[in-house]
Amino acid sequence: MFTRAIVRLPASNFAEGLTTAGRGAPNYERALEQHQAYCAALEQCGLILTRLEPDPDYPDSTFVEDTAVLTARCAVLARPGATSRAGEVASVRYALATVFPSFPAIQAPGTLDGGDVCEAGNHFFVGISARTNEAGARQLAEVLGASNYTASFVDIRGVEGILHLKSGLAYLGDERLAVIEVLARRFEFGGYELLSVKAEEEYAANCVRVNDRVLLAAGYPNFERKLGDLGYQTIALEMSEFRKMDGGLSCLSLRF
Ligand code: CIR
């Protein structure tokens, strides 16, 4: 059960962040509207939001999920793998300190983006990606282990089209994962029920279960129908402007 989330409004130079999407420049006004709707959806799920100030020093800082890993038993400050994002953690450290009495931080040479970390009950899948390296993943696994969580690594460096593990994977509760087709055959997910997301709806795999709802990107009717058929109450959210910056739905918040 989540009770809170941290979000950060996009800064006006949000379009200057990193992207490989090739979908054109995002529209700032529309991004703000979409962000507002996203925050309203989290509130509808019962969460109390901490809204960090927009930070124009870091145009990617609205993707706050990459800066930390928050769990029911512990918190870890991440160490983003993109140099331009490294400084984002300073203000997040400050925000976390008001909630978590103490928490470790990933140390060099480790790098870790929160978008590579998928909580699945008492287990965590950690993606080894262009952003998260093995040293970072190992440090996180150690911290999680000390809180009686288990962790396993999923190397996605050869998987095209996803920036982070969670770009193609989401935990829906009840030992069920939403997963893009190219990841669905991976041995790491054996033992879970897999809800496979077709290639043409791949972006929607990055959905988020928040208490009794599932938030997903709008415009993916087959996946939304599948979720509905399984009994999930869904909230579909426009994500077009964040997608232009390689952002998924989960990365706009840190839920805990
Ligand atoms: C980046 O490249 O770091 C940002 N433009 C997008 C980060 C998206 N984060 C995520 O999906 N967890």
Side-chain angles (χ1 to χ4, degrees), residues 6 8 52 63-71 74-81 85-98 100-115 117 131-133 135-141 143-144 254:
I6 298 172
R8 190 196 294 274
L52 304 181
F63 302 118
V64 71
E65 179 182 63
D66 293 323
T67 59
V69 177
L70 307 184
T71 81
C74 60
V76 181
L77 196 67
R79 187 165 181 271
R85 301 197 57 189
E88 289 177 25
V89 295
S91 54
V92 173
R93 182 196 294 268
Y94 190 72
L96 292 187
T98 65
F100 296 89
S102 71
F103 50 89
I106 301 296
Q107 303 293 329
T111 60
L112 182 104
D113 277 19
V117 183
R131 300 287 177 86
T132 297
N133 63 19
R138 271 199 303 272
Q139 288 176 36
L140 177 68
V143 178
L144 292 171
L254 278 163

Side-chain angles (χ1 to χ4, degrees), residues 181-249:
E181 279 177 332
V182 286
L183 287 180
R185 289 179 291 274
R186 297 282 293 253
F187 72 92
E188 291 93 334
F189 308 129
Y192 288 81
E193 182 189 337
L194 301 185
L195 187 57
S196 179
V197 184
K198 296 229 170 301
E200 60 273 20
E201 295 206 338
E202 206 166 87
Y203 181 72
N206 175 249
C207 57
V208 182
R209 168 106 188 240
V210 186
N211 301 337
D212 55 355
R213 316 275 170 122
V214 176
L215 274 50
L216 83 161
Y220 301 95
N222 294 320
F223 183 54
E224 190 170 0
R225 197 172 320 113
K226 267 193 196 177
L227 289 171
D229 289 347
L230 287 165
Y232 296 105
Q233 278 184 276
T234 55
I235 303 179
L237 294 163
E238 285 299 337
M239 290 293 298
S240 62
E241 305 316 294
F242 298 104
R243 187 177 187 185
K244 289 174 184 170
M245 300 309 294
D246 286 346
L249 185 143

Side-chain angles (χ1 to χ4, degrees), residues 47-67:
L47 304 196
I48 294 166
L49 302 188
T50 299
R51 295 167 200 261
L52 304 181
E53 290 297 313
D55 189 348
D57 287 344
Y58 300 101
D60 275 317
S61 57
T62 190
F63 302 118
V64 71
E65 179 182 63
D66 293 323
T67 59

